[in-house]
Amino acid sequence: MNSVRAYAASSATSPLAATTIARREPTDTDVQIEILFCGICHSDLHSVRNEWSEFAETQYPIVPGHEIIGRVANAGSGVTKFKQGDIVGVGCLVDSDGTCGECEAGLEQFCPERILTYNSPDRHLGGVTLGGYAETIVVDERFVLRIPQNLDLAHTAPLLCAGITTFSPLRHWNVTAGKKVGVVGLGGLGHMCVKLAHAFGAHVVVFTTSPEKKEDAMRLGADEVIISRDANEMQKHAGTFNFILDTVSAKHDINAYLGLLARDGNITLVGAPPEAMGVAAFALIGGRHSLSGSAIGGIAETQEMLDFCGAHNITSDVEVIPIQQVNEAYDRMLHGDVKYRFTIDMASLKT
Ligand code: NAP
Ligand code: ZN
């Protein structure tokens, strides 16, 4: 076992603070990674504050972080894909059974035995898995991703969650040129969705509650921006959207968006507010609309997304912070004050 520096929260109401945690000795198929950057996802905040207690009770202490970029410090003797010094990524998944139908379909995120990067049972050390706000992490090579060499590392970390979580439903719902696509909420996930949908050739419309984000949205690749609190502006688009990705982290009115769908249009929720949200039957049945959800993406698709981003030079817009500012960053994220993802420079953990 190795003892390494990390940031953890000891309860739902404690701030994240410096601590040390144990990492396992790498097995033959493990990759030991020195973490260089870790993005801050809103799921980190939901988890640290135990906001999802009904669905995934947080076990404390929690070390969050699942947008990890690092350098291979050591590769086990049976590791074939990576060698010491390689730049690699780790997202939300670190293990699965590898044999069930979901794994065979490349959908490890739905494997009943899947292990998340933090707050899942740790089969090696007992307790729960601890995430990327740490000096190192040890991960089976099946869950380690290659990072395209042309991408800036601090800006690439958020692709490991925000990137794949938006890429996967855009692909699943066949977003291509000629489609009219809405993105609800311009935060970490939302801004990645704008960039990817734009790269797929779609007509992209951003719905935001923050008028001051309008110019940024256009720069990021939106064709139109709608201030979602303006009912008149919303009404002008009724019945016109093929697909809408909803990334909002708090309870809101989905029916307002269902009414904007064209016939057979779909809204996919990736935002995960803890509270239930009501759906009006007539908002669905009129145009054969559908409402669905999506969770991150499988490992092969995550690699496909990274390669796509490498080929199209797509990364996240980030504000790089030292880990000592993580609690302030959480509060700013909660108030929509992030452009558009915080990434922690993990070198700060040593200071
Ligand atoms: P984020 O950066 O905080 O962005 C969320 C955005 O939602 C905000 O920037 C804001 O955009 C909008 N918003 C926030 N509160 C709102 C409210 N009360 N009403 C209307 N709009 C509001 O968060 P994120 O990291 O992108 O994550 C978004 C959600 O996705 C979180 O719930 C997270 O847990 C979830 N998530 C799910 C998956 C998955 O696999 N399904 C993966 C990662 C994250 P505007 O200022 O533009 O309105
Ligand atoms: Zn995430």
Side-chain angles (χ1 to χ4, degrees), residues 203-282:
H203 181 88
V204 182
V205 181
V206 166
F207 297 95
T208 180
T209 59
S210 311
E212 71 280 3
K213 292 183 184 172
K214 207 164 181 170
E215 225 169 274
D216 281 346
M218 299 297 286
R219 175 180 57 76
L220 293 164
D223 297 288
E224 299 177 64
V225 182
I226 297 173
I227 306 307
S228 52
R229 300 196 200 283
D230 183 338
N232 269 338
E233 234 187 299
M234 294 282 279
Q235 200 45 43
K236 285 183 200 153
H237 293 261
T240 62
F241 281 87
N242 303 109
F243 178 74
I244 297 177
L245 192 77
D246 185 332
T247 76
V248 175
S249 51
K251 191 174 177 176
H252 59 288
D253 178 18
I254 319 176
N255 300 302
Y257 296 99
L258 284 168
L260 303 188
L261 292 175
R263 174 174 48 77
D264 290 323
N266 169 268
I267 293 187
T268 291
L269 292 182
V270 286
E275 306 87 358
M277 297 187 286
V279 176
F282 283 94

Side-chain angles (χ1 to χ4, degrees), residues 41 43-44 66-67 92 161-162 341:
C41 178
S43 303
D44 298 351
H66 56 207
E67 294 184 335
C92 303
C161 176
R341 197 59 139 187

Side-chain angles (χ1 to χ4, degrees), residues 86-124:
D86 286 354
I87 296 295
V88 295
V90 176
C92 303
L93 294 164
V94 291
D95 208 355
S96 70
D97 67 20
T99 55
C100 70
E102 304 293 1
C103 289
E104 276 173 8
L107 297 168
E108 295 89 351
Q109 73 272 34
F110 303 125
C111 169
E113 300 297 324
R114 59 133 174 69
I115 302 293
L116 298 173
T117 306
Y118 59 82
N119 201 42
S120 271
D122 185 330
R123 298 210 182 95
H124 299 261

Side-chain angles (χ1 to χ4, degrees), residues 24 26-31 75-80 139-142 144:
R24 67 177 183 263
T27 67
D28 287 355
T29 58
D30 275 343
V31 179
S77 58
V79 170
T80 58
V139 179
D140 187 282
E141 73 162 328
R142 290 189 298 127
V144 179

